[in-house]
Amino acid sequence: MTPAAPQRPILLNAFDMMVPVHQSPGLWRHPESRADEFDTLEYWTSLASTLDDAGFSSLFLADVLGVYDVYGAGPAGAYRGGVQYPLLDPLSAVSAMAAVTNHLGFGVTASVSYEHPFLLARRLSSLDHLTKGRLAWNIVTSYQDSAARNMGLAQQIPHDARYDRADEYMDVMYSLFESSFEEGAVLADRTNATFLDATKVHPINHSGEFFTVPGAALTHPGPQRTPFLFQAGASPRGQQFALDHAEAIFVTGSSPRLVRHWVDQIRNGLEARGRDRYAIKIFAMVTIVVADTDDEAQQRLDSYAQYVDTESALTLFGGWTGVDLAGTDPDSPIEYVTTEANRSALESMTKLAGAKTWTVRDLAEFVAIGGRGPVLIGSASTVADELVRWQTEADLDGFNVSAAVRPADLQRVAHYLTPELKRRGLLLQRPDTPTTLRETMTGAKAHLAADHQGARFRRS
């Protein structure tokens, strides 16, 4: 029997992307949408301030490195619908957002398949300094053939091989973050004209199958040394990687039962490794439509239907899964096939969907608002009850909250829902004095836990 979950506060991350369309294709046309301002700094600093005041733990920024060109065997659908294209670099606005917030963390996505570790370590350490330790790195291996082609490859690296390469990548990153600079290396000693203690700065001398990085890190460690680590691998190989490296895992499913399937695997995997089953924080994606009353919230959701773009929804699905559903019978069932793309996206609607057989029409309607996650609708009290139900039944630590109408639905969560969660004592209470994101998320210290794999690279 699975042990009962301990009582714990709800952690909230806003889940967004620096694009016109993130998870709800077509809703950028809604009169309240400001998603077409995604390329302005004011959009992001305003959102960050709202989230910080509301008690969110972080703003989690997704990213991809290619265009969604599977549907219709080309990018036209993504271009027309603004489906995660064009897109800005998620690291680009973090410093500005950090400057207008005190507590909010920033989870940035960066790919181990296409970023060189030596340079990425510098960028992440720089942001850890500039955010005062409020940075998280969402580790991805990427899943688009279009990205691979633009990086000079004929096709993307096979699914499991991407994770094999990623394991070595993480060894390099831990070496740069944890062992290149000893504690106390930065002296800034004016009297003796010595900024760094040369005896405490070390080359990492990494020479492996995929990477050769002989030198020392370019940037001294930020307040967390290794940024807080997110991961979203749900395939067997991806989950193994997540158990090795993640401090927080992001899962997606349409029901608590489906999400619990993954959560139990993660928590059991931690115990099998001799770690506490709650050593990793687990978040599920939800889209929230909240109003003064249940009826008003339902009316709001119903009003979204006129803006739904089903072709763009299938473009999004094709990009996730590598499966082209253009021209198929809308009432034909979807069957599971193995691709080199995002396997968990397809698996969640086929192999793990229980008795439900998904048709193309079902899929398009479901993805059109909220992507692959559930849509929670109602008053603040009703949605709070539903979050508690999901947390209890799926054994979750928190939620990545997506907006259908951006940023209006996140602003409504801040206006209606988070005060209700605070009133009930359900929302994580942040200390008056700002802390690092790792301290916020875990309640522990600013650096990696002693039983984390990355801690093995720490100098004694």
Side-chain angles (χ1 to χ4, degrees):
M1 182 176 178
T2 302
Q7 293 295 312
R8 53 199 189 278
I10 293 174
L11 298 161
L12 292 182
N13 304 314
F15 182 45
D16 213 330
M17 193 172 183
M18 301 184 83
V19 291
V21 168
H22 181 208
Q23 295 286 322
S24 298
L27 270 293
W28 64 271
R29 299 176 296 151
H30 189 280
E32 294 179 25
S33 173
R34 290 175 44 228
D36 55 340
E37 301 173 29
F38 81 97
D39 55 1
T40 67
L41 193 57
E42 293 76 13
Y43 179 97
W44 296 102
T45 54
S46 175
L47 176 60
S49 294
T50 297
L51 298 172
D52 195 40
D53 292 343
F56 276 71
S57 296
S58 78
L59 169 57
F60 183 109
L61 291 170
D63 192 34
V64 292
L65 293 176
V67 64
Y68 285 170
D69 60 356
V70 174
Y71 181 81
Y79 292 168
R80 181 194 61 78
V83 180
Q84 297 188 8
Y85 188 89
L87 65 164
L88 305 185
D89 184 333
L91 281 73
S92 58
V94 168
S95 294
M97 292 190 288
V100 299
T101 55
N102 294 309
H103 298 276
L104 188 70
F106 302 94
V108 294
T109 300
S111 173
V112 298
S113 294
Y114 304 123
E115 299 265 10
H116 194 283
F118 186 65
L119 296 180
L120 181 59
R122 178 177 71 161
R123 292 165 66 203
L124 295 180
S125 289
S126 298
L127 285 175
D128 200 43
H129 282 291
L130 297 176
T131 61
K132 298 181 180 178
R134 290 185 281 144
L135 187 74
W137 172 27
N138 177 36
I139 311 162
V140 298
T141 61
S142 297
Y143 54 83
Q144 295 169 294
D145 281 333
S146 59
R149 290 193 298 270
N150 284 322
M151 298 297 173
L153 303 177
Q155 60 187 20
Q156 63 183 311
I157 301 167
H159 181 275
D160 287 4
R162 293 202 299 271
Y163 284 105
D164 295 340
R165 185 178 181 276
D167 280 329
E168 185 184 331
Y169 193 107
M170 295 306 298
D171 287 349
V172 176
M173 297 298 275
Y174 294 138
S175 296
L176 293 167
F177 290 141
E178 297 291 335
S179 69
S180 188
F181 279 70
E182 292 183 38
E183 293 291 335
V186 179
L187 300 174
D189 184 342
R190 295 172 185 245
T191 302
N192 295 305
T194 304
F195 196 85
L196 287 178
D197 181 344
T199 67
K200 293 186 176 182
V201 180
H202 307 280
I204 66 169
N205 295 318
H206 179 90
S207 180
E209 180 181 356
F210 302 104
F211 302 102
T212 299
V213 182
L218 284 173
T219 304
H220 57 301
Q224 298 181 112
R225 280 196 170 263
T226 298
F228 189 72
L229 299 174
F230 273 101
Q231 221 279 320
S235 67
R237 183 63 182 92
Q239 195 171 110
Q240 177 186 334
F241 179 86
L243 287 168
D244 285 339
H245 302 289
E247 295 174 275
I249 293 177
F250 174 29
V251 297
T252 306
S254 57
S255 69
R257 181 198 60 79
L258 178 56
V259 169
R260 185 64 183 254
H261 167 85
W262 280 306
V263 171
D264 284 346
Q265 287 186 353
I266 293 165
R267 300 213 188 280
N268 293 341
L270 284 166
E271 283 194 333
R273 292 163 183 248
R275 300 181 68 193
D276 187 281
R277 67 186 287 109
Y278 294 96
I280 290 176
K281 302 296 182 185
I282 305 178
F283 296 83
M285 189 180 89
V286 295
T287 298
I288 294 175
V289 179
V290 63
D292 278 316
T293 68
D294 291 352
D295 286 345
E296 289 177 13
Q298 186 63 55
Q299 290 168 14
R300 183 175 179 86
L301 178 64
D302 292 344
S303 75
Y304 291 175
Q306 62 189 300
Y307 302 103
V308 161
D309 184 340
T310 54
E311 182 182 62
S312 291
L314 293 177
T315 298
L316 193 59
F317 179 79
W320 288 334
T321 63
V323 177
D324 184 5
L325 295 176
T328 56
D329 178 355
D331 296 312
S332 62
I334 299 169
E335 297 179 356
Y336 182 79
V337 294
T338 299
T339 74
E340 294 300 342
N342 186 336
R343 293 182 182 175
S344 61
L346 185 57
E347 187 177 37
S348 67
M349 295 179 181
T350 52
K351 291 172 69 176
L352 300 178
K356 181 176 177 62
T357 298
W358 286 77
T359 67
V360 173
R361 190 189 309 278
D362 292 334
L363 176 69
E365 292 175 352
F366 180 76
V367 171
I369 298 179
R372 290 187 284 139
V375 180
L376 308 186
I377 314 138
S379 66
S381 179
T382 296
V383 175
D385 289 343
E386 192 67 356
L387 290 178
V388 171
R389 183 178 76 86
W390 270 76
Q391 184 185 37
T392 302
E393 293 183 13
D395 195 11
L396 295 165
D397 295 285
F399 301 90
N400 278 8
V401 182
S402 177
V405 178
R406 301 165 53 226
D409 282 335
L410 283 173
Q411 292 169 334
R412 294 173 71 85
V413 168
H415 176 74
Y416 290 103
L417 179 60
T418 56
E420 175 68 10
L421 294 175
K422 290 176 183 178
R423 186 187 68 79
R424 297 191 193 187
L426 293 173
L427 191 64
L428 177 73
Q429 298 298 304
R430 302 178 309 193
D432 293 336
T433 302
T435 61
T436 67
L437 183 57
R438 182 171 285 112
E439 290 170 285
T440 295
M441 288 288 192
T442 68
K445 296 182 179 180
H447 295 172
L448 286 172
D451 64 348
H452 188 280
Q453 182 160 306
R456 295 191 291 105
F457 293 80
R458 190 174 295 156
R459 289 183 178 272
S460 59

